[in-house]
């Protein structure tokens, strides 16, 4: 076995992190490869939607998923106070939608006018057309975690809207950019 | 805008899912692209480690991450009852390690004898050599979610052990197989 490089470990103290701690963590955690998805909900007559990489299938029994949302964000407030929400997993061809719904300054009015979507049968929330898979979820728990809320939901409806080669072509985020899988 | 296909929505009732519900959910949730990582801890003089795709960076302030583990598993029991644990993000060249540590029948003795690793400075838990990034975490919360435990940890140490082209080459899981990113 080869001699390992000396590890360059950066330590953090419990309590408030320094700016350097945060900057280094941002850079290191950007190494998390993750599928891009859109989380959406409808509340008080409006649609809310945002691109997320912080989501997970959690359990098969019952089918349960999780999304991690910044607590102070509109989408965080909307999802955590709604009964139902959706996750639409994006394909590589949907990078434009991912970019649009990840913009910090997305408008509250007209957010979805140029995004092709339908309404979930159970949730009435937006489900992105051509999604690799979609899930309609009912919140069963919400847990604060630092600046974020972990919203746990049970699947009430699901399906796929992708076809052809799109079904093999997820949109993947890694290192602050979008990528596709190698064929 | 083109006419969308009729959605093929599969509905689930609250309560115990049917076998068909679970089978369909397994297939649809396999569309979650995710970076492969190794979660590890040391407890009672033993090392525990397992390949996971259910993990997330959660927050920058303070740096916080989450791992989702089957509650009845050895690794779930070990991580949820230990103070410290590690996440090592794998590169494409580490698929052999990912396969080994994902095997249902991994032995308790000799689990790590063929896995190159070092011990975290803070946690004393295994950190996989050449990891794209590693994080040593201290548990701050544990939340049951269906069959799983969501273990939330604050980062106490972190770094990278990868070099050269490995830093651009995460190991990605999608559709029940490992993949690399397109260049």
């Amino acid at each position: 076995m080869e001699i390992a490089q000396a590890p360059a470990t950066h330590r953090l103290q419990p309590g408030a992190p320094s700016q350097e701690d945060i900057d280094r963590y941002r850079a290191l955690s950007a190494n998390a490869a993750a599928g891009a998805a859109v989380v959406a909900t409808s509340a008080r007559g409006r649609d809310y939607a945002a691109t997320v990489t912080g989501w997970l299938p959690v359990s098969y029994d019952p089918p349960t998923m999780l999304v991690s949302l910044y607590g102070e964000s509109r989408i965080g407030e909307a999802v955590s106070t709604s009964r139902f929400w959706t996750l639409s997993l994006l394909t590589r061809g949907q990078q434009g939608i991912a970019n649009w719904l990840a913009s910090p300054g997305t408008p509250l009015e007209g957010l979805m006018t140029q995004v092709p979507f339908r309404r979930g049968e159970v949730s009435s929330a937006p489900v992105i057309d051509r999604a690799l898979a979609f899930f309609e979820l009912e919140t069963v728990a919400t847990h604060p975690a630092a600046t974020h809320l972990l919203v746990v939901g049970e699947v009430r409806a699901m399906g796929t809207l992708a076809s052809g080669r799109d079904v093999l072509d997820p949109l993947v985020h890694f290192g602050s950019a979008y990528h596709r899988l190698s064929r």
Side-chain angles (χ1 to χ4, degrees), chain A:
Chain A
M1 201 167 303
E2 72 187 88
I3 306 292
Q5 275 187 298
T9 294
H10 177 77
R11 292 201 187 201
L12 294 84
Q13 298 307 315
S18 69
Q19 191 58 46
E20 186 196 356
D21 292 340
I22 292 176
D23 291 346
R24 286 201 189 205
Y25 175 71
R26 267 181 194 267
L28 283 167
S29 63
N31 289 300
V38 170
V39 61
T41 194
S42 297
R44 300 175 297 276
R46 288 183 190 276
D47 291 325
Y48 298 81
T51 306
V52 284
T53 55
W55 62 277
L56 281 184
V58 169
S59 180
Y60 291 143
D61 190 3
T64 303
M65 304 179 84
L66 169 156
V67 66
S68 170
L69 295 169
Y70 182 55
E72 299 295 306
S73 62
R74 281 202 307 250
I75 188 73
E77 195 275 337
V79 170
S80 64
T81 57
S82 295
R83 179 174 172 194
F84 293 109
W85 45 285
T86 61
L87 275 175
S88 299
L89 314 194
L90 300 183
T91 66
R92 171 68 180 168
Q94 295 177 307
Q95 187 173 339
I97 295 171
N99 286 334
W100 167 245
L101 293 176
S103 316
T106 51
L108 195 48
E109 297 290 343
L111 178 68
M112 299 299 283
T113 52
Q114 296 188 54
V115 177
F117 72 95
R118 62 197 67 193
R119 293 202 176 275
E121 292 181 12
V122 171
S123 62
S124 299
V127 168
I128 308 299
D129 283 356
R130 293 170 169 269
L132 200 51
F134 70 86
F135 303 91
E136 297 184 65
L137 297 120
E138 181 170 359
T139 298
V140 294
T142 304
H143 307 291
T147 53
H148 278 57
L149 294 170
L150 307 174
V151 183
V152 180
E154 286 184 11
V155 178
R156 296 285 176 251
M158 60 190 179
T160 178
L161 300 171
S163 59
R165 62 182 186 179
D166 279 356
V167 304
L168 300 174
D169 208 11
L171 182 62
V172 181
H173 195 264
F174 170 73
S176 310
Y178 289 109
H179 299 265
R180 73 191 314 161
L181 298 181
S182 179
R183 308 239 165 186

